[in-house]
Amino acid sequence: MNFLCNFVIYQSLNTIIIFMKEQVLQAMREAGKPVSAGEITKVLNADRKEVDKAFAELKKSGAIVSPVRCKWTPAE
């Protein structure tokens, strides 16, 4: 039973991160300029920790790049 509960919780968290990553990328595209995590947090009215997790995943996968210090944009 514990394994099943842990699996469901893990899947739910993974789904939230995937959704947030998509939201962050969409907000970046709409901004049309390099943006910070703080700016994305305000635009999405989201929790900063969730946005930071999405940024970390996006950086790791190469989906976003930093053309200016502390600002990010979708990779082309």
Side-chain angles (χ1 to χ4, degrees):
M1 180 73 170
N2 279 338
F3 173 76
L4 182 58
C5 290
N6 289 340
F7 179 75
V8 170
I9 291 170
Y10 174 78
Q11 290 292 47
S12 296
L13 291 174
N14 196 26
T15 301
I16 291 168
I17 292 170
I18 291 169
F19 177 75
M20 184 58 70
K21 285 173 23 179
E22 292 170 2
Q23 294 290 82
V24 166
L25 281 172
Q26 183 62 32
M28 285 180 168
R29 287 185 194 106
E30 289 174 5
K33 62 178 183 156
V35 292
S36 68
E39 291 169 321
I40 295 295
T41 300
K42 288 179 186 174
V43 167
L44 296 179
N45 194 27
D47 180 53
R48 177 62 186 252
K49 289 181 182 180
E50 295 301 318
V51 172
D52 286 341
K53 286 178 191 175
F55 263 69
E57 290 288 323
L58 291 166
K59 288 180 219 176
K60 191 169 149 182
S61 69
I64 60 175
V65 294
S66 180
V68 180
R69 187 170 186 238
C70 298
K71 302 278 185 164
W72 297 86
T73 189
E76 294 181 21

